[in-house]
Amino acid sequence: MEHAVDAANEDAILASTILLCVMENLRPGATPNIGLHATAAGVILSRRSSSGLKQVDIFERVCVESFLYHSTLMMLFEPSLDTLQRVNPTMDLARYFSELPPPTLQPILDASYPFFLLIADVTRLARSIRPLNKTEIQTYSHLLTNLLHYDRHLNDGSFTMNLYLLTMRILLLKVDPALSTVEATEQISHLSPAGFSILDSLNVNQYLLGFSLWPVAVLGSIATAADEQYIVQSKITALGHRQHGQAMRLRNRLKTIWATPDAEKTTLLVHRLHMLVKGI
């Protein structure tokens, strides 16, 4: 009886931490503080995954998907957020996704959980403001290999997958160890037209807010032409009609980035990506 009460209390705490993540993400105004709540959820899920006392149920599956959703996608919108670094080493994520028959449509995640981990790894490396060290260069090469693997073997051809692969590649160009800032800017300028073309055709309201906003944020930060900024603004407006909070905060951040006096044009796009990942 006591064990059942403890389990029920833990379920309630876990559900509360997930709901607090959602509320922080959606509330208007200041930058949300998702990290504390996501970390608490991650600690609980890690303890459950290592206990081996019970099989995964639907409740846990929904909670772990929501945890991954907030802990990966929100890293681009909350620069200090890196919950996965703290709890992922002790969390058996494969258990949460293998012990239940995979649903035709996951309730929270719009892609496989390793894909969300890839998004987090790319975001984390892109935060670097100095030349990559030896270990980070190895990480960079590993991430490029993963992106190529997804593109060749796991790309379903959808607008969304193509847009994510492209915008992750753009973020990595910011820290490409083989390129100067000028060369990286040139490469980004070559890739970006395809991204804006895809984004223009994408129905952003078919996904949860954060999943739609992530590539919009990357492209928005490097939108310099009026037509590019119009595409980005139209997508944010479409998302803002559905729910405020993160969409409106992104709109304000991009206005700040766009209004910042231009740096040297040969390095402008890398400079603006830096502003994005640092939360300026």
Side-chain angles (χ1 to χ4, degrees):
M1 179 68 177
E2 183 178 348
H3 175 73
V5 172
D6 289 343
N9 288 339
E10 186 176 79
D11 284 352
I13 295 172
L14 178 57
S16 296
T17 61
I18 296 298
L19 287 174
L20 285 169
C21 286
V22 174
M23 291 175 62
E24 285 283 335
N25 190 31
L26 296 180
R27 70 180 177 88
T31 301
N33 181 19
I34 294 172
L36 180 64
H37 311 307
T39 299
V43 169
I44 295 172
L45 290 166
S46 296
R47 185 168 61 189
R48 289 183 175 215
S49 66
S50 62
S51 67
L53 295 178
K54 58 179 290 189
Q55 291 185 330
V56 176
D57 56 26
I58 296 297
F59 168 75
E60 286 184 317
R61 175 65 171 267
V62 170
C63 287
V64 78
E65 285 195 27
S66 184
F67 165 76
L68 280 176
Y69 172 90
H70 288 95
S71 298
T72 57
L73 297 175
M74 295 304 110
M75 288 174 66
L76 194 61
F77 305 100
E78 192 173 329
S80 62
L81 179 65
D82 200 354
T83 303
L84 286 171
Q85 283 285 73
R86 301 187 184 97
V87 301
N88 191 37
T90 62
M91 184 183 297
D92 184 5
L93 286 171
R95 169 181 173 267
Y96 284 110
F97 288 89
S98 63
E99 291 195 3
L100 286 175
T104 303
L105 182 64
Q106 294 177 146
I108 306 295
L109 303 184
D110 288 295
S112 67
Y113 81 86
F115 190 74
F116 279 80
L117 297 180
L118 177 61
I119 293 170
D121 289 340
V122 168
T123 307
R124 185 180 300 112
L125 191 64
R127 287 172 170 173
S128 178
I129 59 174
R130 51 167 175 72
L132 302 184
N133 60 34
K134 184 177 180 180
T135 300
E136 290 167 336
I137 290 174
Q138 292 175 341
T139 299
Y140 176 88
S141 298
H142 175 69
L143 292 175
L144 280 184
T145 300
N146 276 351
L147 286 178
L148 183 61
H149 173 74
Y150 269 96
D151 194 25
R152 288 181 174 177
H153 304 292
L154 300 173
N155 189 349
D156 59 7
S158 68
F159 282 155
T160 307
M161 178 60 75
N162 286 330
L163 187 60
Y164 258 94
L165 293 173
L166 183 64
T167 48
M168 280 194 278
R169 180 73 186 97
I170 286 172
L171 258 191
L172 284 180
L173 280 169
K174 173 186 176 293
V175 292
D176 190 323
L179 299 178
S180 67
T181 305
V182 172
E183 291 169 331
T185 294
E186 290 175 351
Q187 291 292 320
I188 293 168
S189 67
H190 288 317
L191 291 178
S192 61
F196 287 112
S197 177
I198 296 171
L199 181 60
D200 193 27
S201 303
L202 186 67
N203 175 16
V204 292
N205 280 309
Q206 64 185 308
Y207 304 109
L208 292 179
L209 180 64
F211 194 67
S212 291
L213 276 183
W214 198 95
V216 172
V218 175
L219 287 175
S221 69
I222 60 171
T224 56
D227 59 334
E228 295 170 345
Q229 293 180 0
Y230 175 80
I231 292 171
V232 171
Q233 287 177 321
S234 67
K235 300 304 176 181
I236 293 176
T237 298
L239 291 166
H241 284 322
R242 187 177 60 180
Q243 49 193 334
H244 293 280
Q246 196 63 263
M248 297 301 99
R249 284 191 294 273
L250 176 59
R251 182 182 63 183
N252 293 335
R253 282 180 66 186
L254 291 179
K255 284 183 177 179
T256 299
I257 291 174
W258 294 343
T260 301
D262 287 350
E264 174 63 39
K265 289 190 179 298
T266 57
T267 61
L268 175 63
L269 301 185
V270 171
H271 175 68
R272 288 191 169 184
L273 283 173
H274 174 74
M275 294 177 70
L276 175 70
V277 297
K278 289 303 176 183
I280 297 174

